Amino acid sequence: MAQTYTATEMLARLVAFNTVSDRSNIPLMDFVKDYLEGHGVEATLVPDPVQDKVSLYAQIGPPVEGGVILSGHTDVVPVEGQNWTTDPFELTEKDGRLYGRGTCDMKGFSAIGLSLVPEMLAADLKRPIQFALTYDEEIGCIAAPPLIRAMATPLPRASIAIIGEPTMMRVVTGHKGIAELSTHVTGFEVHSSLMHTGVSAVMVAARLIDWISAQTEANQKAAPPGDGDIEGANYEPPWTTLHVGRIEGGTAHNITAKDCRFSTDIRNIPEEDIGDWIGRYRAHAARVEAGIRQIRPEARIEITEKARVVGCRPEENGPAEALARRLTGDNAQHVVSYATEAGQFQDGGYSAVVCGPGSIEQAHQPDEFISVAQMQAGEAFLKKLVDDLSR
């Protein structure tokens, strides 16, 4: 007999799988596949060519074009170093909130969709609903492009993709792009009393980070007023940001550091090209490298692009926006500064919108939660979608 779950019960099952990005998500995906196939829904796994991870796609409804994709990622961010008061991998309900890693970002949306599979099957769908579940969204939206390509041929082409990231069920039609870079500075070790004969990788990294910081400050000063008249003005903040999140290097206080590594993310407003920013940073690093190589030819700066995620662009008369507004009643304009897979679906030829339960303010936090009210709002939204596609 096919297993059924309420949305909260399904969320409890999904949260119980530790799918932090450095782990495999296959146990979770095997559960989802078994659940869907228990209801007679064929589910296809798309394996990563290197890692022990998979994406999944499935379809419910008639084999016709024009359907709607429900897109969600299965990976979550780490909990190490965070002061949780509940078990992050066990759903805890308290005071109208559901606590657990991934409840908000973004297993809540996927749990609601999966719990409604029996209703989808019972409905007289005129256009299909397709599930698209990915991995490694949190480390650069890596899995969406190959999944989009994989599901394009065997499934009838859908028209719309709804990315269920937490928006408090507001209809988000644009978000910033992001590039993630890793910089490795190789210096030359000498006693610090003779530092002029060596190259301190830490101090060179500081010069690069100072440039990164200066760009963000300059962008902030040049930012447009938040009056909505300029494309980037509605973003918070309304400028491109460059940020260093991690740094490590050096061996002792009296040795010029041989190595220093740091990570950078660049989040661009729509009218600025992320590739342009990467090029400017590489050009600055090349100038710095030329100087340090005059001191020691072994010194160098290596910049690795870990990920580049295109932003979501507002669509003129976009069918995804029209559908989401019809289902939610939200007619306000919303954009966000965090990245999602929406732009990648747009690049794949789909009309895309970001709309899901929960608040981004709870994402990545200790004691992450989604409110019961938001779960109910998300469930009402997807039930309306089923009804809409049955007409």
Side-chain angles (χ1 to χ4, degrees), residues 196-281:
H196 66 291
T197 65
V199 174
S200 167
V202 168
M203 295 182 72
V204 172
R207 292 170 61 188
L208 299 175
I209 294 170
D210 182 63
W211 183 90
I212 289 169
S213 180
Q215 304 314 301
T216 298
E217 291 176 8
N219 291 344
Q220 181 174 0
K221 291 177 181 177
D227 57 11
D229 293 335
I230 302 173
E231 186 179 1
N234 289 323
Y235 286 85
E236 177 57 40
W239 58 82
T240 293
T241 59
L242 295 84
H243 167 258
V244 174
R246 295 189 65 218
I247 185 170
E248 57 181 349
T251 54
H253 74 280
N254 58 354
I255 303 173
T256 57
K258 181 180 179 181
D259 292 287
C260 186
R261 293 175 172 85
F262 62 91
S263 62
T264 305
D265 72 35
I266 305 173
R267 297 176 185 265
N268 63 298
I269 56 176
E271 61 265 37
E272 295 183 358
D273 182 359
I274 194 73
D276 226 25
W277 276 106
I278 296 171
R280 290 171 61 181
Y281 176 53

Side-chain angles (χ1 to χ4, degrees), residues 8 10 38 72 100 105 202 263 265 331 341-342 382:
T8 299
M10 179 61 75
D105 185 17
V202 168
S263 62
D265 72 35
N331 291 313
E341 297 168 337
L382 290 185

Side-chain angles (χ1 to χ4, degrees), residues 31-375:
F31 162 74
V32 172
K33 180 177 171 67
D34 289 346
Y35 165 75
L36 290 171
E37 292 184 344
H39 286 277
V41 178
E42 182 180 359
T44 301
L45 300 178
V46 181
D48 185 276
V50 178
Q51 305 179 87
D52 194 25
K53 298 180 181 181
V54 296
S55 293
L56 177 149
Y57 66 81
Q59 175 171 294
I60 297 173
V64 299
E65 296 187 348
V68 175
I69 296 170
L70 302 181
S71 165
H73 63 82
T74 61
D75 60 316
V76 297
V77 296
V79 299
E80 283 76 19
Q82 293 188 332
N83 185 25
W84 283 73
T85 60
T86 65
D87 184 338
F89 299 109
E90 180 178 342
L91 192 71
T92 302
E93 183 170 0
K94 183 171 58 177
D95 299 327
R97 296 174 173 178
L98 300 169
Y99 291 89
R101 176 55 89 216
T103 50
C104 168
D105 185 17
M106 58 172 296
K107 291 180 177 179
F109 178 78
S110 298
I112 294 167
L114 291 170
S115 73
L116 292 177
V117 164
E119 292 190 29
M120 295 174 185
L121 290 167
D124 185 21
L125 292 172
K126 302 299 190 295
R127 289 179 290 151
I129 294 173
Q130 297 175 357
F131 286 93
L133 303 181
T134 62
Y135 58 90
D136 282 0
E137 189 273 350
E138 295 290 2
I139 59 174
C141 298
I142 291 170
L147 174 61
I148 292 167
R149 292 191 295 270
M151 63 191 294
T153 301
L155 297 184
R157 185 165 187 81
S159 298
I160 291 169
I162 298 174
I163 290 75
E165 293 277 5
T167 69
M168 295 294 287
M169 298 310 303
R170 292 189 287 263
V171 179
V172 170
T173 56
H175 65 65
K176 290 183 177 182
I178 182 173
E180 297 179 8
L181 308 176
S182 175
T183 301
H184 177 199
V185 181
T186 301
F188 189 84
E189 292 175 305
V190 298
H191 193 284
S192 61
S193 65
L194 297 172
M195 62 176 292
H196 66 291
T197 65
V199 174
S200 167
V202 168
M203 295 182 72
V204 172
R207 292 170 61 188
L208 299 175
I209 294 170
D210 182 63
W211 183 90
I212 289 169
S213 180
Q215 304 314 301
T216 298
E217 291 176 8
N219 291 344
Q220 181 174 0
K221 291 177 181 177
D227 57 11
D229 293 335
I230 302 173
E231 186 179 1
N234 289 323
Y235 286 85
E236 177 57 40
W239 58 82
T240 293
T241 59
L242 295 84
H243 167 258
V244 174
R246 295 189 65 218
I247 185 170
E248 57 181 349
T251 54
H253 74 280
N254 58 354
I255 303 173
T256 57
K258 181 180 179 181
D259 292 287
C260 186
R261 293 175 172 85
F262 62 91
S263 62
T264 305
D265 72 35
I266 305 173
R267 297 176 185 265
N268 63 298
I269 56 176
E271 61 265 37
E272 295 183 358
D273 182 359
I274 194 73
D276 226 25
W277 276 106
I278 296 171
R280 290 171 61 181
Y281 176 53
R282 287 187 180 277
H284 175 72
R287 291 191 293 269
V288 174
E289 184 183 58
I292 63 176
R293 285 175 65 84
Q294 289 182 1
I295 302 171
R296 296 298 313 189
E298 303 93 329
R300 63 186 182 274
I301 299 171
E302 297 173 286
I303 300 169
T304 304
E305 186 176 319
K306 309 293 285 188
R308 188 189 301 202
V309 182
V310 66
C312 177
R313 291 84 67 191
E315 305 168 10
E316 186 174 353
N317 301 317
E321 177 183 353
L323 172 65
R325 293 197 186 286
R326 187 165 69 248
L327 299 181
T328 62
D330 177 20
N331 291 313
Q333 297 295 322
H334 305 288
V335 296
V336 294
S337 294
Y338 56 85
T340 80
E341 297 168 337
Q344 294 171 318
F345 275 95
Q346 288 179 321
D347 283 354
Y350 299 97
S351 176
V353 70
V354 186
C355 185
S359 168
I360 195 65
E361 293 180 1
Q362 273 75 60
H364 300 192
Q365 298 292 312
D367 288 346
E368 177 184 348
F369 71 86
I370 189 169
S371 71
V372 172
Q374 277 294 294
M375 287 289 288

